[in-house]
Amino acid sequence: VSPRIVYSYDFEGTTAAPYSNYLEDRQALNLGIDGTLNNNFKLGLSYSNFFGGHVNNKNSDRDFASFSASYSF
């Protein structure tokens, strides 16, 4: 079992349009956990939360959760 925490923060400044890949005060948090059973069955669960960046952050309402499973033989 391995946990995962990823946090990103655009702390100052904004990229000029039309790119907008850097937006002041935009933040994202990803929490997840992965596990392996008998080296052939894998499970993963994660949640992503996007916030900050004021009204210019088009991702602020796109939080999501995901689940994955795989089996190798």
Side-chain angles (χ1 to χ4, degrees):
V1 175
S2 60
R4 178 180 60 252
I5 299 173
V6 179
Y7 174 73
S8 62
Y9 177 43
D10 296 347
F11 55 89
E12 187 174 336
T14 301
T15 305
Y19 303 109
S20 300
N21 57 357
Y22 194 89
L23 180 63
E24 186 169 338
D25 197 37
R26 179 175 52 188
Q27 300 172 57
L29 178 65
N30 180 284
L31 304 172
I33 189 164
D34 297 313
T36 303
L37 179 64
N38 296 331
N39 274 343
N40 58 357
F41 187 65
K42 297 180 181 181
L43 292 173
L45 180 65
S46 69
Y47 173 73
S48 296
N49 183 336
F50 302 94
F51 55 98
H54 311 291
V55 297
N56 295 327
N57 185 3
K58 306 301 184 210
N59 289 332
S60 64
D61 64 345
R62 297 184 186 178
D63 298 354
F64 65 91
S66 65
F67 172 77
S68 64
S70 68
Y71 182 79
S72 302
F73 52 92

Coordinates of all heavy atoms in Angstrom, one line a residue:
V1 N 0.9 -1.2 0.0 CA 0.0 0.0 0.0 C 0.9 1.2 0.0 O 1.9 1.3 0.8 CB -0.9 0.0 1.2 CG1 -1.7 1.3 1.3 CG2 -1.8 -1.2 1.2
S2 N 0.6 2.2 -0.9 CA 1.4 3.4 -0.9 C 0.4 4.6 -1.1 O -0.4 4.7 -2.0 CB 2.4 3.4 -2.0 OG 1.8 3.2 -3.3
P3 N 0.5 5.6 -0.1 CA -0.3 6.8 -0.2 C 0.3 7.8 -1.2 O 1.5 7.7 -1.4 CB -0.3 7.3 1.2 CG 0.9 6.8 1.8 CD 1.2 5.5 1.1
R4 N -0.5 8.7 -1.7 CA 0.0 9.7 -2.6 C -0.7 11.1 -2.2 O -1.9 11.1 -2.1 CB -0.3 9.3 -4.0 CG 0.1 10.3 -5.1 CD -0.2 9.9 -6.5 NE -1.6 9.7 -6.7 CZ -2.2 8.5 -6.8 NH1 -1.5 7.4 -6.8 NH2 -3.5 8.4 -7.0
I5 N 0.1 12.1 -2.1 CA -0.4 13.5 -1.8 C 0.3 14.4 -2.8 O 1.6 14.4 -2.8 CB -0.2 13.9 -0.4 CG1 -0.9 13.0 0.6 CG2 -0.7 15.4 -0.2 CD1 -0.6 13.3 2.0
V6 N -0.4 15.1 -3.6 CA 0.2 16.1 -4.6 C -0.6 17.4 -4.4 O -1.8 17.5 -4.4 CB 0.0 15.6 -6.0 CG1 0.6 16.6 -7.0 CG2 0.6 14.2 -6.2
Y7 N 0.2 18.5 -4.1 CA -0.3 19.8 -4.0 C 0.4 20.7 -4.9 O 1.6 20.7 -5.0 CB -0.1 20.3 -2.5 CG -0.5 21.7 -2.3 CD1 -1.9 22.0 -2.2 CD2 0.4 22.7 -2.1 CE1 -2.3 23.4 -2.0 CE2 0.0 24.0 -1.8 CZ -1.3 24.3 -1.8 OH -1.7 25.6 -1.6
S8 N -0.4 21.5 -5.6 CA 0.2 22.5 -6.5 C -0.4 23.9 -6.2 O -1.6 24.0 -5.9 CB 0.0 22.2 -8.0 OG -1.3 22.1 -8.3
Y9 N 0.4 24.9 -6.4 CA 0.0 26.3 -6.0 C 0.7 27.3 -6.9 O 1.9 27.4 -7.0 CB 0.3 26.5 -4.5 CG 0.0 27.9 -4.0 CD1 -1.2 28.5 -4.3 CD2 0.9 28.6 -3.2 CE1 -1.5 29.8 -3.8 CE2 0.6 29.8 -2.7 CZ -0.6 30.4 -3.0 OH -0.9 31.7 -2.5
D10 N -0.1 28.1 -7.7 CA 0.4 29.1 -8.5 C 0.4 30.4 -7.6 O -0.6 31.1 -7.5 CB -0.5 29.4 -9.7 CG -0.5 28.2 -10.7 OD1 0.4 27.3 -10.5 OD2 -1.3 28.1 -11.6
F11 N 1.5 30.7 -7.0 CA 1.6 31.6 -5.9 C 1.6 33.1 -6.3 O 1.1 33.9 -5.6 CB 2.7 31.4 -4.9 CG 4.1 31.3 -5.6 CD1 4.8 32.4 -5.7 CD2 4.5 30.1 -6.0 CE1 6.1 32.4 -6.3 CE2 5.8 30.0 -6.6 CZ 6.5 31.1 -6.8
E12 N 2.2 33.4 -7.5 CA 2.2 34.9 -7.8 C 2.3 35.0 -9.4 O 3.1 34.3 -10.0 CB 3.3 35.6 -7.2 CG 3.3 37.1 -7.4 CD 4.3 37.8 -6.6 OE1 4.8 37.3 -5.6 OE2 4.7 38.9 -7.0
G13 N 1.6 35.9 -9.9 CA 1.7 36.1 -11.4 C 0.7 35.3 -12.2 O 0.1 34.4 -11.7
T14 N 0.5 35.7 -13.4 CA -0.5 35.1 -14.3 C 0.1 35.1 -15.7 O 0.7 36.1 -16.2 CB -1.8 35.8 -14.4 OG1 -2.4 35.9 -13.0 CG2 -2.8 35.2 -15.3
T15 N 0.0 33.9 -16.4 CA 0.5 33.8 -17.8 C -0.4 34.6 -18.7 O -1.7 34.6 -18.5 CB 0.5 32.4 -18.2 OG1 1.3 31.6 -17.3 CG2 1.1 32.2 -19.6
A16 N 0.1 35.2 -19.7 CA -0.7 36.0 -20.6 C -1.6 35.1 -21.5 O -1.3 33.9 -21.7 CB 0.2 36.8 -21.6
A17 N -2.8 35.6 -21.9 CA -3.7 34.9 -22.7 C -3.0 34.6 -24.0 O -2.2 35.3 -24.5 CB -5.0 35.7 -22.9
P18 N -3.4 33.6 -24.8 CA -4.5 32.6 -24.5 C -4.1 31.4 -23.7 O -4.8 30.5 -23.6 CB -4.9 32.2 -25.9 CG -3.6 32.2 -26.7 CD -2.8 33.4 -26.1
Y19 N -2.8 31.3 -23.2 CA -2.3 30.1 -22.6 C -2.9 29.8 -21.2 O -3.4 28.8 -21.0 CB -0.8 30.1 -22.6 CG -0.2 30.3 -24.0 CD1 0.4 31.4 -24.3 CD2 -0.4 29.2 -24.9 CE1 0.9 31.6 -25.6 CE2 0.1 29.4 -26.2 CZ 0.7 30.6 -26.5 OH 1.2 30.7 -27.8
S20 N -2.8 30.8 -20.3 CA -3.4 30.7 -19.0 C -3.0 29.4 -18.2 O -3.8 28.8 -17.5 CB -4.9 30.8 -19.0 OG -5.3 32.0 -19.5
N21 N -1.7 28.9 -18.5 CA -1.3 27.7 -17.7 C -0.7 28.1 -16.4 O -0.4 27.2 -15.6 CB -0.3 26.9 -18.5 CG 0.9 27.7 -19.0 OD1 1.0 28.9 -18.7 ND2 1.8 27.1 -19.6
Y22 N -0.7 29.3 -16.0 CA -0.3 29.8 -14.7 C -1.2 30.9 -14.3 O -1.3 31.9 -14.9 CB 1.2 30.3 -14.7 CG 1.8 30.4 -13.4 CD1 2.4 29.4 -12.7 CD2 1.7 31.6 -12.7 CE1 3.0 29.5 -11.5 CE2 2.2 31.8 -11.4 CZ 2.9 30.7 -10.8 OH 3.4 30.9 -9.6
L23 N -1.9 30.7 -13.2 CA -3.0 31.6 -12.8 C -2.8 31.9 -11.3 O -2.9 31.0 -10.5 CB -4.3 31.1 -13.0 CG -5.5 31.9 -12.7 CD1 -5.6 33.2 -13.4 CD2 -6.8 31.1 -12.9
E24 N -2.5 33.1 -10.9 CA -2.2 33.5 -9.5 C -3.3 33.0 -8.6 O -4.5 33.1 -8.8 CB -2.1 35.0 -9.4 CG -1.7 35.4 -8.0 CD -1.3 36.9 -7.9 OE1 -1.0 37.5 -9.0 OE2 -1.4 37.4 -6.8
D25 N -2.9 32.3 -7.5 CA -3.7 31.8 -6.4 C -4.4 30.5 -6.7 O -5.2 30.0 -6.0 CB -4.6 32.9 -5.8 CG -5.2 32.5 -4.5 OD1 -4.4 31.9 -3.7 OD2 -6.3 32.7 -4.2
R26 N -4.2 30.0 -7.9 CA -4.9 28.7 -8.3 C -4.2 27.6 -7.5 O -3.0 27.5 -7.4 CB -4.8 28.4 -9.8 CG -5.5 27.1 -10.2 CD -5.5 27.0 -11.7 NE -4.2 27.2 -12.3 CZ -4.0 27.2 -13.6 NH1 -4.9 27.1 -14.4 NH2 -2.7 27.4 -14.0
Q27 N -5.0 26.6 -7.0 CA -4.4 25.5 -6.2 C -5.1 24.2 -6.6 O -6.3 24.2 -7.0 CB -4.6 25.8 -4.7 CG -3.9 27.1 -4.3 CD -4.3 27.4 -2.8 OE1 -4.1 26.6 -1.9 NE2 -4.8 28.6 -2.6
A28 N -4.4 23.1 -6.4 CA -5.0 21.8 -6.6 C -4.4 20.8 -5.6 O -3.3 20.9 -5.2 CB -4.7 21.3 -8.0
L29 N -5.3 19.9 -5.2 CA -4.8 18.9 -4.2 C -5.3 17.5 -4.7 O -6.5 17.4 -5.1 CB -5.5 19.2 -2.8 CG -5.2 18.2 -1.7 CD1 -3.7 18.2 -1.4 CD2 -6.0 18.5 -0.5
N30 N -4.4 16.6 -4.7 CA -4.7 15.2 -5.2 C -4.3 14.3 -4.0 O -3.2 14.3 -3.6 CB -4.0 14.9 -6.4 CG -4.4 13.5 -6.9 OD1 -3.9 12.5 -6.3 ND2 -5.2 13.4 -7.9
L31 N -5.3 13.5 -3.6 CA -5.1 12.5 -2.5 C -5.4 11.1 -3.1 O -6.4 10.9 -3.8 CB -6.0 12.7 -1.3 CG -5.9 14.1 -0.7 CD1 -7.0 14.2 0.4 CD2 -4.5 14.3 0.0
G32 N -4.5 10.2 -2.9 CA -4.7 8.9 -3.5 C -4.0 7.8 -2.7 O -3.2 8.0 -1.8
I33 N -4.4 6.5 -3.0 CA -3.8 5.4 -2.4 C -3.8 4.3 -3.4 O -4.7 4.1 -4.2 CB -4.5 4.9 -1.1 CG1 -3.8 3.9 -0.4 CG2 -6.0 4.5 -1.4 CD1 -4.2 3.7 1.0
D34 N -2.7 3.6 -3.5 CA -2.5 2.4 -4.4 C -2.1 1.2 -3.6 O -1.4 1.3 -2.6 CB -1.4 2.7 -5.5 CG -1.7 3.9 -6.3 OD1 -2.9 4.0 -6.8 OD2 -0.8 4.8 -6.5
G35 N -2.6 0.1 -4.1 CA -2.2 -1.2 -3.4 C -2.0 -2.3 -4.4 O -2.6 -2.3 -5.5
T36 N -1.2 -3.3 -4.0 CA -0.9 -4.4 -4.8 C -1.1 -5.7 -4.0 O -0.7 -5.8 -2.8 CB 0.5 -4.4 -5.3 OG1 0.7 -3.2 -6.0 CG2 0.8 -5.6 -6.2
L37 N -1.7 -6.7 -4.6 CA -2.0 -8.0 -3.9 C -1.3 -9.1 -4.7 O -1.7 -9.2 -5.9 CB -3.5 -8.2 -3.7 CG -3.9 -9.5 -3.0 CD1 -3.3 -9.6 -1.6 CD2 -5.4 -9.6 -3.0
N38 N -0.4 -9.8 -4.2 CA 0.2 -11.0 -4.8 C 0.9 -10.6 -6.1 O 1.0 -11.4 -7.0 CB -0.8 -12.1 -5.1 CG -1.3 -12.7 -3.8 OD1 -0.7 -12.7 -2.8 ND2 -2.6 -13.1 -3.9
N39 N 1.4 -9.4 -6.3 CA 2.1 -8.9 -7.5 C 1.3 -9.0 -8.8 O 1.9 -8.9 -9.8 CB 3.4 -9.7 -7.6 CG 4.5 -9.0 -6.8 OD1 4.4 -7.9 -6.4 ND2 5.6 -9.8 -6.6
N40 N 0.0 -9.3 -8.7 CA -0.7 -9.3 -10.0 C -2.1 -8.6 -9.9 O -2.7 -8.3 -11.0 CB -0.9 -10.8 -10.4 CG -1.7 -11.6 -9.4 OD1 -2.0 -11.2 -8.3 ND2 -1.9 -12.9 -9.8
F41 N -2.6 -8.3 -8.8 CA -3.8 -7.5 -8.7 C -3.5 -6.2 -8.1 O -3.0 -6.1 -7.0 CB -4.8 -8.3 -7.8 CG -6.2 -7.7 -7.7 CD1 -6.9 -7.7 -8.9 CD2 -6.7 -7.2 -6.6 CE1 -8.2 -7.2 -8.9 CE2 -7.9 -6.6 -6.5 CZ -8.7 -6.6 -7.7
K42 N -3.9 -5.1 -8.8 CA -3.6 -3.7 -8.3 C -4.9 -2.9 -8.2 O -5.8 -3.0 -9.1 CB -2.7 -3.0 -9.3 CG -1.3 -3.7 -9.3 CD -0.4 -2.9 -10.3 CE 1.0 -3.7 -10.3 NZ 1.9 -3.0 -11.2
L43 N -5.0 -2.1 -7.1 CA -6.1 -1.2 -6.9 C -5.6 0.2 -6.7 O -4.6 0.4 -6.1 CB -7.0 -1.7 -5.7 CG -7.7 -3.0 -5.8 CD1 -8.3 -3.3 -4.5 CD2 -8.8 -2.9 -6.9
G44 N -6.4 1.1 -7.1 CA -6.0 2.6 -6.9 C -7.3 3.4 -6.7 O -8.3 3.1 -7.3
L45 N -7.2 4.3 -5.8 CA -8.3 5.2 -5.5 C -7.7 6.6 -5.3 O -6.7 6.8 -4.6 CB -9.0 4.8 -4.2 CG -10.2 5.6 -3.7 CD1 -11.3 5.5 -4.7 CD2 -10.6 5.1 -2.3
S46 N -8.3 7.6 -5.9 CA -7.8 9.0 -5.8 C -8.9 10.0 -5.8 O -10.0 9.8 -6.4 CB -6.7 9.3 -6.8 OG -7.3 9.4 -8.1
Y47 N -8.7 11.2 -5.3 CA -9.6 12.3 -5.3 C -8.8 13.6 -5.6 O -7.7 13.8 -5.1 CB -10.3 12.5 -3.9 CG -11.1 13.7 -3.9 CD1 -12.3 13.8 -4.5 CD2 -10.7 14.8 -3.1 CE1 -13.1 15.0 -4.5 CE2 -11.4 16.0 -3.1 CZ -12.6 16.0 -3.7 OH -13.4 17.2 -3.7
S48 N -9.3 14.4 -6.6 CA -8.7 15.6 -7.0 C -9.6 16.8 -6.7 O -10.8 16.7 -7.0 CB -8.3 15.6 -8.4 OG -7.4 14.6 -8.7
N49 N -9.0 17.8 -6.0 CA -9.8 19.0 -5.7 C -9.1 20.3 -6.3 O -7.9 20.4 -6.0 CB -9.9 19.1 -4.2 CG -10.7 20.3 -3.7 OD1 -10.9 21.3 -4.4 ND2 -11.2 20.2 -2.5
F50 N -9.8 21.1 -7.0 CA -9.2 22.3 -7.6 C -9.9 23.5 -7.0 O -11.1 23.5 -6.9 CB -9.5 22.3 -9.1 CG -8.9 21.1 -9.8 CD1 -9.7 20.0 -10.1 CD2 -7.6 21.1 -10.2 CE1 -9.2 18.9 -10.7 CE2 -7.1 20.0 -10.9 CZ -7.8 18.9 -11.1
F51 N -9.1 24.5 -6.5 CA -9.7 25.7 -5.9 C -8.8 26.9 -6.0 O -7.7 26.8 -6.5 CB -10.0 25.3 -4.4 CG -8.8 24.8 -3.6 CD1 -8.0 25.7 -2.8 CD2 -8.4 23.5 -3.7 CE1 -6.9 25.2 -2.1 CE2 -7.3 23.0 -3.0 CZ -6.6 23.9 -2.2
G52 N -9.3 28.0 -5.5 CA -8.5 29.3 -5.6 C -8.5 29.8 -7.0 O -9.2 29.3 -7.9
G53 N -7.8 30.9 -7.2 CA -7.7 31.5 -8.6 C -8.8 32.4 -8.9 O -8.9 32.8 -10.1
H54 N -9.7 32.7 -8.0 CA -10.8 33.6 -8.2 C -11.7 33.1 -9.4 O -11.7 31.9 -9.7 CB -10.4 35.0 -8.4 CG -9.4 35.4 -7.3 ND1 -9.8 35.6 -6.0 CD2 -8.0 35.6 -7.3 CE1 -8.7 35.9 -5.3 NE2 -7.7 35.9 -6.1
V55 N -12.4 34.0 -10.0 CA -13.3 33.6 -11.1 C -12.6 33.2 -12.4 O -13.2 32.6 -13.3 CB -14.3 34.8 -11.4 CG1 -15.2 35.1 -10.2 CG2 -13.6 36.0 -11.9
N56 N -11.3 33.5 -12.5 CA -10.6 33.1 -13.7 C -10.2 31.6 -13.7 O -9.8 31.1 -14.7 CB -9.3 34.0 -13.8 CG -9.6 35.4 -14.0 OD1 -10.6 35.7 -14.7 ND2 -8.8 36.3 -13.5
N57 N -10.3 31.0 -12.6 CA -10.0 29.5 -12.5 C -11.1 28.7 -13.1 O -12.1 28.5 -12.4 CB -9.6 29.1 -11.1 CG -9.1 27.7 -11.0 OD1 -9.0 27.0 -12.0 ND2 -8.9 27.3 -9.8
K58 N -11.0 28.3 -14.3 CA -12.1 27.5 -14.9 C -12.2 26.1 -14.4 O -13.2 25.4 -14.7 CB -11.9 27.5 -16.5 CG -11.8 28.8 -17.1 CD -13.0 29.7 -16.8 CE -12.8 31.0 -17.6 NZ -13.4 32.1 -17.0
N59 N -11.2 25.6 -13.6 CA -11.2 24.3 -13.1 C -11.8 24.2 -11.7 O -11.8 23.1 -11.1 CB -9.8 23.7 -13.1 CG -9.3 23.4 -14.5 OD1 -10.1 23.1 -15.4 ND2 -8.0 23.4 -14.7
S60 N -12.1 25.3 -11.1 CA -12.5 25.3 -9.7 C -13.7 24.4 -9.4 O -13.9 24.0 -8.2 CB -12.8 26.7 -9.2 OG -13.8 27.3 -9.8
D61 N -14.6 24.1 -10.4 CA -15.7 23.3 -10.1 C -15.6 21.9 -10.7 O -16.6 21.2 -11.0 CB -17.0 24.0 -10.7 CG -16.9 24.2 -12.2 OD1 -15.9 24.0 -12.8 OD2 -18.0 24.4 -12.8
R62 N -14.4 21.5 -11.0 CA -14.2 20.2 -11.7 C -13.5 19.1 -10.8 O -12.6 18.4 -11.2 CB -13.3 20.4 -12.9 CG -14.1 21.3 -13.9 CD -13.3 21.4 -15.2 NE -14.0 22.4 -16.0 CZ -13.6 22.8 -17.2 NH1 -12.5 22.3 -17.7 NH2 -14.3 23.6 -17.9
D63 N -13.9 19.1 -9.5 CA -13.3 18.1 -8.6 C -13.8 16.7 -9.1 O -14.9 16.6 -9.7 CB -13.8 18.3 -7.2 CG -13.4 19.6 -6.6 OD1 -12.6 20.3 -7.3 OD2 -13.8 19.9 -5.5
F64 N -13.0 15.7 -8.9 CA -13.4 14.3 -9.3 C -12.7 13.3 -8.5 O -11.7 13.5 -7.8 CB -13.1 14.1 -10.8 CG -11.6 14.1 -11.2 CD1 -10.9 13.0 -11.2 CD2 -11.0 15.3 -11.5 CE1 -9.6 13.0 -11.5 CE2 -9.7 15.3 -11.9 CZ -9.0 14.2 -11.9
A65 N -13.3 12.1 -8.5 CA -12.7 10.9 -7.8 C -12.5 9.8 -8.9 O -13.3 9.8 -9.9 CB -13.7 10.4 -6.7
S66 N -11.5 9.0 -8.7 CA -11.3 7.9 -9.6 C -11.0 6.6 -8.9 O -10.4 6.6 -7.8 CB -10.2 8.3 -10.6 OG -9.0 8.4 -10.0
F67 N -11.3 5.5 -9.5 CA -11.0 4.2 -9.0 C -10.4 3.4 -10.2 O -10.9 3.4 -11.3 CB -12.2 3.5 -8.5 CG -12.0 2.1 -8.1 CD1 -11.4 1.8 -6.9 CD2 -12.5 1.1 -8.9 CE1 -11.2 0.5 -6.5 CE2 -12.3 -0.2 -8.5 CZ -11.7 -0.6 -7.4
S68 N -9.4 2.6 -9.9 CA -8.8 1.8 -11.0 C -8.5 0.4 -10.4 O -8.2 0.2 -9.2 CB -7.6 2.4 -11.6 OG -6.5 2.5 -10.6
A69 N -8.6 -0.6 -11.2 CA -8.3 -2.0 -10.9 C -7.6 -2.6 -12.1 O -8.0 -2.4 -13.2 CB -9.5 -2.7 -10.4
S70 N -6.6 -3.5 -11.8 CA -6.0 -4.2 -12.9 C -5.5 -5.6 -12.4 O -5.2 -5.7 -11.2 CB -4.8 -3.4 -13.5 OG -3.8 -3.3 -12.6
Y71 N -5.5 -6.5 -13.3 CA -5.0 -7.8 -13.0 C -4.0 -8.3 -14.1 O -4.3 -8.2 -15.3 CB -6.2 -8.8 -12.9 CG -5.8 -10.2 -12.6 CD1 -5.5 -10.6 -11.2 CD2 -5.6 -11.2 -13.5 CE1 -5.1 -11.8 -10.9 CE2 -5.3 -12.5 -13.2 CZ -5.0 -12.8 -11.9 OH -4.6 -14.0 -11.5
S72 N -2.9 -8.7 -13.7 CA -1.9 -9.2 -14.6 C -1.7 -10.7 -14.5 O -1.7 -11.2 -13.3 CB -0.5 -8.5 -14.4 OG -0.6 -7.1 -14.4
F73 N -1.5 -11.4 -15.6 CA -1.3 -12.8 -15.5 C -0.2 -13.3 -16.5 O 0.3 -12.5 -17.2 CB -2.5 -13.6 -15.8 CG -3.2 -13.2 -17.0 CD1 -3.0 -13.9 -18.2 CD2 -4.2 -12.2 -17.0 CE1 -3.6 -13.5 -19.4 CE2 -4.8 -11.8 -18.2 CZ -4.6 -12.5 -19.3

